[in-house]
Amino acid sequence: RLAALTLIVAVTLSRLLYLAFYCPLDLAVDDAHYWEWSRHLDWCYYSKGPLVAWLIRLSCELFGNTMFAVRLPAVSCGALLLLGLYRLAVQVHRSEKLAFIVVALALTLPIVNAGALLMTIDAPFTCAWMWALVFAQRAIDTSKTWCWPAAGVCIMLGILAKHTMILFVPCFALFLAMTPL
């Protein structure tokens, strides 16, 4: 557990340092587009939910209108995604060593690394999906009723990020229908 936590913290700190001091790139088209949304908050935008704009706005209010502040929520969502991946692997396989390996392997995937540095709708979406999985699986495995509302909150947040999060419900229902409990 300590090794996984150390790895996640080290990767997150290195991403923060990279963005703060070493990133040679300005905002990408998506980053800039969502930053513009954050300057004009609304309940929904023509193609996406408002969560990405809300996160950028909060970060910019705290840290100023900088590239670092715009991308900071992506780094946070990336760290939470890795923590959720670790937690889900422990819950399913009952092995912290295997969970550490899963996190280490996830860090080799370009999409995981890009998603934790570029502020797009996918950063909060994948984070919300992961934690919805963690809570829903825990609810089934332990019969703890508080996990269902927690999964529901994650689903609602995910819908605010990307409307396709609604597909979590039928996907999970199909999983339950096809899995012997």
Side-chain angles (χ1 to χ4, degrees):
R1 183 179 308 170
L2 183 60
L5 184 60
T6 301
L7 178 62
I8 293 168
V9 168
V11 166
T12 302
L13 287 175
S14 68
R15 288 175 178 158
L16 291 171
L17 289 171
Y18 173 75
L19 285 179
F21 302 110
Y22 302 109
C23 185
L25 307 172
D26 202 4
L27 293 179
V29 174
D30 281 356
D31 294 317
H33 184 72
Y34 300 131
W35 173 67
E36 182 62 25
W37 283 4
S38 77
R39 295 173 42 177
H40 309 282
L41 292 180
D42 208 339
W43 286 103
C44 195
Y45 298 91
Y46 65 91
S47 64
K48 309 286 187 281
L51 185 60
V52 69
W54 295 349
L55 291 173
I56 292 171
R57 177 66 166 270
L58 175 64
S59 182
C60 287
E61 289 292 327
L62 294 173
F63 301 104
N65 282 319
T66 64
M67 186 263 303
F68 177 82
V70 170
R71 291 185 173 164
L72 181 61
V75 176
S76 302
C77 289
L80 288 171
L81 174 70
L82 292 173
L83 285 170
L85 189 59
Y86 176 81
R87 184 70 204 137
L88 184 63
V90 168
Q91 285 176 193
V92 171
H93 298 290
R94 311 274 193 278
S95 170
E96 293 193 16
K97 185 184 287 187
L98 179 63
F100 172 80
I101 292 169
V102 167
V103 169
L105 288 175
L107 287 169
T108 67
L109 301 173
I111 193 69
V112 171
N113 290 301
L117 286 173
L118 301 173
M119 190 57 199
T120 69
I121 58 169
D122 294 321
F125 169 71
T126 55
C127 181
W129 191 290
M130 175 55 63
W131 282 98
L133 278 174
V134 168
F135 289 123
Q137 192 280 332
R138 185 172 171 105
I140 291 169
D141 212 28
T142 64
S143 299
K144 293 189 177 187
T145 56
W146 66 266
C147 293
W148 288 117
V153 167
C154 291
I155 292 168
M156 287 188 297
L157 287 171
I159 291 170
L160 289 174
K162 193 172 186 177
H163 298 130
T164 54
M165 183 72 185
I166 195 70
L167 294 175
F168 182 91
V169 175
C171 288
F172 197 75
L174 185 62
F175 166 76
L176 289 176
M178 298 183 73
T179 303
L181 297 176

